[in-house]
Amino acid sequence: MREILGKRRRLLSQRSDGRPELFSAALTFAKEWQWPVLPGVAPDPEGRDRCGCPDPECTVPGAHPFDPGLLAATTDERMVRWWWTNRPAAPIILATGGSAPCAVSLPALPAARALAALDRAGMRLGPVVASPTRWAILVKPYSLEQLGELLYAQDHVPGSLRFHGEGGYLALPPSGTGHGDITWERAPLPGSASPWVPDVEAVVDAVVEALTRTGVSAPEL
């Protein structure tokens, strides 16, 4: 009996290292908003700027899926509870596309300036996810064909813009990654159902115009 109790104490001790807000947020995304999520690989405990995955050159430490893979993303409450009960410190990864939001991201400094320009222009935005290096504007799901036509119609698209569509992913708040914490730059309304997000066309047109009009050059990051 002592051995069994000892094992239980060790397990409880391991699980207590987690953050209850991660558990709560993962349930909100999956159950209330119907966003498919899964736990990401955590940063390397021996060096937070390194990833816990086998790739020593990982460029997104702690901010991507690994085990399970992206296809395991789900809105099933029981699965989400099981994942974050057993991996309470795991980052929350959104599988973008399908019925879930997609995203347009760009480096943090140009993003801050672009959002300020969009605010002055009266552009309505939904949630914006921020990491120390990049900000991501959530948008309605889009197809590759739709995105291709949109980009073709632009005179110039900054190379640092990234598009998180079908088959992509995005780390969600309040995850901790090797590059720092993921936060809401523009938070969803509290207590709301699945948050409203704009069309990708409106966001890309407005962001490209704002970057061009303000003379902000988004570096190739």
Side-chain angles (χ1 to χ4, degrees):
M1 178 62 72
R2 289 180 181 175
E3 292 180 357
I4 295 175
L5 289 175
K7 290 180 180 179
R8 288 186 62 191
R9 289 194 187 101
R10 285 195 295 273
L11 286 172
L12 290 172
S13 175
Q14 291 171 0
R15 292 178 181 178
S16 67
D17 292 338
R19 295 159 54 187
E21 63 269 25
L22 281 168
F23 186 95
S24 176
L27 283 178
T28 295
F29 299 144
K31 180 182 177 182
E32 298 182 20
W33 297 357
Q34 291 296 293
W35 290 3
V37 297
L38 75 161
V41 59
D44 188 335
E46 296 183 1
R48 187 171 173 80
D49 60 339
R50 299 197 303 267
C51 192
C53 74
D55 182 3
E57 304 297 327
C58 181
T59 58
V60 284
H64 67 89
F66 174 63
D67 183 16
L70 185 62
L71 292 179
T74 184
T75 59
D76 183 78
E77 178 184 355
R78 293 172 299 176
M79 192 73 244
V80 171
R81 285 184 179 276
W82 187 86
W83 274 333
W84 270 274
T85 296
N86 289 277
R87 298 171 57 182
I92 303 170
I93 304 298
L94 168 69
T96 54
S99 60
C102 295
V104 177
S105 72
L106 64 161
L109 180 57
R113 294 175 178 173
L115 260 62
L118 298 183
D119 287 341
R120 290 192 295 270
M123 171 78 182
R124 181 188 179 191
L125 293 175
V128 178
V129 176
S131 77
T133 57
R134 295 188 71 85
W135 291 8
I137 303 171
L138 299 189
V139 298
K140 292 179 181 177
Y142 56 79
S143 66
L144 288 177
E145 292 78 11
Q146 182 182 4
L147 179 62
E149 293 176 0
L150 173 61
L151 298 181
Y152 182 78
Q154 301 292 326
D155 292 331
H156 170 70
V157 177
S160 58
L161 283 181
R162 294 179 187 167
F163 299 91
H164 309 256
E166 183 77 29
Y169 60 86
L170 186 70
L172 293 176
S175 301
T177 74
H179 288 159
D181 290 338
I182 307 296
T183 61
W184 293 113
E185 175 59 29
R186 302 286 175 89
L189 294 176
S192 64
S194 184
W196 177 89
V197 292
D199 291 326
V200 65
E201 293 91 346
V203 168
V204 171
D205 288 345
V207 167
V208 170
E209 181 182 356
L211 292 175
T212 302
R213 186 174 63 251
T214 58
V216 175
S217 177
E220 303 295 322
L221 293 178

